[in-house]
Amino acid sequence: MSRPPLPSATIIDVAAKAGVSKSTAARALARYGSVSAKTREAVQKAADELGYQPNALARSMITGRTKTIGVVIPDVGNHFFAVAMRGISTAAREAGYEVLLSSTEGDLALERRAVELLAGKRVDGIVVAPVSTEETGHLERLEGQGIAVTLLDRPASRVKAASFISVNHVEASTLAVNHLIDLGHREIGIVSEALMPEGWEPDAPQESRNLRPSAARLVGYVNALRGAGLRFRDEYVARSAYAKAAAYEATRRLLTDNPQLTAVYCTDSELSAGAFAALQDLKISCPKDMSLIGFDDQDWATLVRPRLTVVDQPSYQLGMAATEELLSTIAADEDRRGDRMLSGRLIVRDSTARPRSAGGR
Amino acid sequence: MSRPPLPSATIIDVAAKAGVSKSTAARALARYGSVSAKTREAVQKAADELGYQPNALARSMITGRTKTIGVVIPDVGNHFFAVAMRGISTAAREAGYEVLLSSTEGDLALERRAVELLAGKRVDGIVVAPVSTEETGHLERLEGQGIAVTLLDRPASRVKAASFISVNHVEASTLAVNHLIDLGHREIGIVSEALMPEGWEPDAPQESRNLRPSAARLVGYVNALRGAGLRFRDEYVARSAYAKAAAYEATRRLLTDNPQLTAVYCTDSELSAGAFAALQDLKISCPKDMSLIGFDDQDWATLVRPRLTVVDQPSYQLGMAATEELLSTIAADEDRRGDRMLSGRLIVRDSTARPRSAGGR
DNA sequence: TGAGACGATGGTAACGATCCCATTTTCGGA
DNA sequence: TCCGAAAATGGGATCGTTACCATCGTCTCA
């Protein structure tokens, strides 16, 4: 049983068996042009008997469309992207598209190669969560090749014609921090993957569209503080790499160095896990001595004690929206940006409460 | 800026620009046949200047291989499959393959359609975690089309030539239950998605290759009990649908109806979460009054209190192994099954301890 | 010096569908 | 019965690449 030389039936075989020309057979099967009912049936019967399956490659050669979209994300294993991927997959399937997936491990070189391969396979469009917001030459080039691009979760301002679908991270952060402020907290720390963007001015909020999620969340924190007349303190920002262990260490340091803190806001699910563990190990009572807000409503938020207050982001909808946007760009056949920002949602549970000294200062 | 009529450079353009025939240009770029160094350079230069990118569709038409594999799984959003997908993606990339992903929501009709579409796109092989172990006609048909198949995590004995890559669930379960038995537990409950397979005989262990994971885990539980001379009791099996809420209810019922139980083994991560929540709500002290073992080592296992003892399964490696197996089948160009069973690992934490009455009976 | 081998190159036929145009058939109405 | 329009069908050309074969020069060795 050798593999390649298995010649599956072609439309010519079907046509021959049905006793018609291949043009007619093609029309009968693809339902275009006009074919008599009798012929259609005969062709259909022949196709069924031969187990005919049209060769999508040949079809795409002619039509110029592959009915396939590419997806380029840093890590399918990550909960956020996995769920977003489910949204992408569902939206694509419902529109009759298939998905070529590349997981790039956050490596720019791999991302470049992935995009190139996808372009070689002539996908109709690409949903991408780019590694870098600046080095996007490989994405810009796609536009010249007639491949639609939609940016998921991470901006890339140089890719002019690409739509940008994201959660409004600034707003989501503001939700979280305002909740703490409303409870009476004044000394609020933050565990963040980002540092304040250079040259950031609080009065230029529209710029936030060009921020990556981590930076946007930090900006939302600052905005909320200012909105309440509180001062932003550099030392309240615990910078952490994107890893549970790093967040654990960063949080320990933050709390040890700043005993006056009464609340901490974590800007990502991974960071939330690390921070939560740090609180446990430091034996700091939550929410009595410290309020904690996490990001992303994962399974465990209701299993731990105290149950975790979080800002949830609609990952699934994000994937759906990005795909719908991409497909509509492909269908509309024009380069028009249709950016969309989805809203996060605050879910209050037991890890946030009034600070011990509320009203005492 | 209209989209489709953007004619990207073809090899003919490159050949013209370099002043050679397209055969020579093709040889120079794809590095086969023989071409003089000078010509090769000239062609390469022309290709670079035109931004030439070979059309993979046309290439595949001729060569008969797409350098693409299909992946069909029930849910990319699920932690196990997401991580396995990461393994698949990595292994595929390293071998120069791309991945067409279909997430079928556990729906047989969608799985059939996905497989059909993948076959139409002429993938070189498919990694599939089938919905059903019996209704596999669509997979069997693939073999006749020269498309290699590897089964991930779920068997399908009718698909003769397909390799089966799975965790040894029977063994993994035995690990978990033996741990409980070693601690002195005698009345051990189980939360399971499966019922005992019909006609199951404890003395026919080789049959376990044809069991789906949930059934295999249940069988491992029974095996371990028998191995220790304990009786299997039907009423100790809490049957639950694959959902946290269902597992929560099933566990509540199990513990309420059988107060003599001193330990519970959960056969899946989702079920573990539900069972853990049930224990919390019933205010049963764990591990003092009840030991609990979960499945799959998720983030939260170390965040909850008590930290959860689990059987971990190597999801990432499973994806890698399945892909490597598939690719080697494709390369070997022959139909030979190379089944592989990976081992689970027991991670002892704080949710398991000696039963209160240990030694008392 | 001539035969043979080999390197380098060009021309053309595939691959399997769709698209376009020409031709034949059908059918309604005068 | 005949005409014209519309329906039905067939015959290429085409997409962009690789596979295959033929050709032509150059080099080597007897």
Side-chain angles (χ1 to χ4, degrees), chain A residues 10-11 22 52 55 59:
Chain A
T10 73
I11 197 158
K22 75 186 148 116
Y52 169 71
N55 185 324
R59 171 177 296 162

Side-chain angles (χ1 to χ4, degrees), chain A residues 305-322:
Chain A
R305 292 294 178 269
R307 297 181 312 152
L308 199 63
T309 295
V310 297
V311 185
D312 187 30
Q313 61 178 336
S315 318
Y316 179 78
Q317 286 82 348
L318 210 61
M320 288 273 285

Side-chain angles (χ1 to χ4, degrees), chain A residues 98-121:
Chain A
E98 287 195 277
V99 177
L100 263 169
L101 171 66
S102 276
S103 190
T104 62
E105 301 177 15
D107 180 316
L108 184 58
L110 288 182
E111 180 178 300
R112 284 209 187 93
R113 215 193 108 204
V115 166
E116 206 163 305
L117 282 171
L118 290 174
K121 294 234 158 92

Side-chain angles (χ1 to χ4, degrees), chain A residues 3 86 93 103 105 335, chain B residues 3 75 93 103 105 335:
Chain A
R3 202 174 306 283
R86 189 157 64 83
R93 182 185 48 234
S103 190
E105 301 177 15
D335 293 336
Chain B
R3 203 173 304 284
D75 178 13
R93 181 184 49 234
S103 191
E105 301 177 17
D335 293 336

